[in-house]
Coordinates of all heavy atoms in Angstrom, one line a residue:
Q1 N 132.0 150.8 103.2 CA 132.7 151.8 104.0 C 133.1 151.2 105.4 O 134.2 151.5 105.9 CB 131.7 153.0 104.3 CG 132.4 154.1 105.1 CD 133.6 154.7 104.5 OE1 133.7 155.0 103.3 NE2 134.6 154.9 105.2
M2 N 132.3 150.4 105.9 CA 132.6 149.7 107.2 C 133.7 148.8 107.0 O 134.6 148.7 107.9 CB 131.3 149.0 107.7 CG 130.3 149.9 108.3 SD 128.9 148.9 109.0 CE 127.5 149.7 108.1
A3 N 133.8 148.1 105.9 CA 134.9 147.2 105.6 C 136.2 148.0 105.5 O 137.3 147.5 106.0 CB 134.7 146.4 104.4
Q4 N 136.2 149.2 104.9 CA 137.3 150.0 104.8 C 137.8 150.5 106.2 O 139.0 150.5 106.5 CB 137.1 151.2 103.9 CG 137.0 150.8 102.4 CD 136.7 152.0 101.6 OE1 136.4 153.1 102.1 NE2 136.6 151.8 100.3
N5 N 136.8 150.8 107.1 CA 137.1 151.2 108.4 C 137.8 150.1 109.2 O 138.7 150.3 110.0 CB 135.8 151.6 109.2 CG 135.2 152.9 108.6 OD1 135.9 153.6 107.9 ND2 134.0 153.1 109.0
V6 N 137.2 148.8 109.0 CA 137.8 147.7 109.7 C 139.3 147.5 109.2 O 140.2 147.2 110.0 CB 137.0 146.4 109.3 CG1 137.7 145.1 109.8 CG2 135.6 146.5 110.1
A7 N 139.5 147.6 107.9 CA 140.9 147.4 107.4 C 141.8 148.5 108.0 O 143.0 148.2 108.3 CB 140.9 147.5 105.9
Q8 N 141.4 149.7 108.0 CA 142.2 150.8 108.6 C 142.5 150.6 110.0 O 143.7 150.8 110.5 CB 141.5 152.2 108.4 CG 141.5 152.7 107.0 CD 140.7 153.9 106.9 OE1 140.0 154.4 107.8 NE2 140.8 154.5 105.7
V9 N 141.5 150.2 110.8 CA 141.7 149.9 112.3 C 142.6 148.8 112.5 O 143.4 148.7 113.4 CB 140.3 149.8 112.9 CG1 140.5 149.4 114.4 CG2 139.6 151.1 112.9
A10 N 142.4 147.7 111.7 CA 143.2 146.5 111.8 C 144.7 146.8 111.6 O 145.6 146.3 112.3 CB 142.8 145.4 110.9
N11 N 145.1 147.7 110.7 CA 146.5 148.1 110.5 C 147.0 148.9 111.7 O 148.2 148.9 112.0 CB 146.6 148.9 109.2 CG 146.3 148.1 108.0 OD1 146.5 146.9 108.0 ND2 145.9 148.7 106.9
A12 N 146.1 149.7 112.3 CA 146.6 150.6 113.4 C 146.6 149.9 114.8 O 147.3 150.3 115.7 CB 145.6 151.8 113.5
V13 N 145.9 148.8 115.0 CA 145.7 148.2 116.3 C 147.0 147.5 116.8 O 147.3 147.3 117.9 CB 144.6 147.1 116.3 CG1 144.6 146.3 117.6 CG2 143.3 147.9 116.2
A14 N 147.9 147.2 115.8 CA 149.2 146.6 116.1 C 150.0 147.4 117.1 O 150.7 146.8 117.9 CB 150.0 146.3 114.9
D15 N 149.9 148.7 117.1 CA 150.6 149.6 118.0 C 149.9 149.7 119.3 O 148.7 150.0 119.3 CB 150.8 151.0 117.4 CG 151.8 150.9 116.2 OD1 152.7 150.0 116.1 OD2 151.6 151.8 115.3
P16 N 150.5 149.6 120.4 CA 149.9 149.7 121.7 C 149.2 151.0 121.9 O 148.2 151.1 122.7 CB 150.9 149.4 122.8 CG 152.1 148.8 122.0 CD 151.9 149.2 120.6
E17 N 149.7 152.1 121.4 CA 149.1 153.4 121.5 C 147.8 153.5 120.9 O 147.0 154.5 121.1 CB 150.1 154.5 121.1 CG 150.4 154.4 119.6 CD 151.5 155.4 119.2 OE1 152.4 155.6 119.9 OE2 151.4 156.0 118.1
F18 N 147.4 152.6 120.0 CA 146.1 152.7 119.3 C 145.2 151.6 119.8 O 144.3 151.2 119.1 CB 146.4 152.5 117.8 CG 147.2 153.5 117.1 CD1 148.4 153.2 116.6 CD2 146.7 154.8 117.0 CE1 149.2 154.2 116.0 CE2 147.4 155.8 116.4 CZ 148.6 155.5 115.9
Q19 N 145.2 151.3 121.0 CA 144.3 150.3 121.6 C 142.9 150.8 121.6 O 141.9 150.0 121.5 CB 144.7 150.0 123.1 CG 146.0 149.2 123.2 CD 145.9 147.8 122.5 OE1 144.9 147.2 122.6 NE2 147.0 147.5 121.7
Q20 N 142.6 152.1 121.7 CA 141.3 152.6 121.6 C 140.7 152.3 120.2 O 139.5 152.1 120.1 CB 141.3 154.1 121.8 CG 139.9 154.8 121.7 CD 140.0 156.3 121.9 OE1 141.0 156.8 122.1 NE2 138.8 156.9 121.9
A21 N 141.5 152.1 119.2 CA 141.0 151.8 117.9 C 140.3 150.4 117.9 O 139.5 150.1 117.0 CB 142.2 151.8 116.9
A22 N 140.7 149.5 118.8 CA 140.1 148.2 118.9 C 138.5 148.4 119.1 O 137.8 147.6 118.6 CB 140.7 147.4 120.0
G23 N 138.1 149.4 119.8 CA 136.7 149.6 120.0 C 136.0 150.0 118.7 O 134.9 149.6 118.5
D24 N 136.7 150.7 117.9 CA 136.2 151.2 116.6 C 136.0 150.0 115.7 O 135.0 149.9 114.9 CB 137.1 152.2 115.9 CG 137.2 153.5 116.6 OD1 136.3 153.8 117.4 OD2 138.2 154.2 116.4

């Protein structure tokens, strides 16, 4: 589950508006 979370966040971090996702 954590690996899936990492994959989802990695896809979203590319956009500057999702910088908070880097913490996740």
Side-chain angles (χ1 to χ4, degrees):
Q1 181 61 44
M2 287 182 231
Q4 289 176 356
N5 292 344
V6 168
Q8 288 175 349
V9 172
N11 290 334
V13 171
D15 294 332
E17 62 188 38
F18 295 115
Q19 290 299 317
Q20 182 180 359
D24 293 339

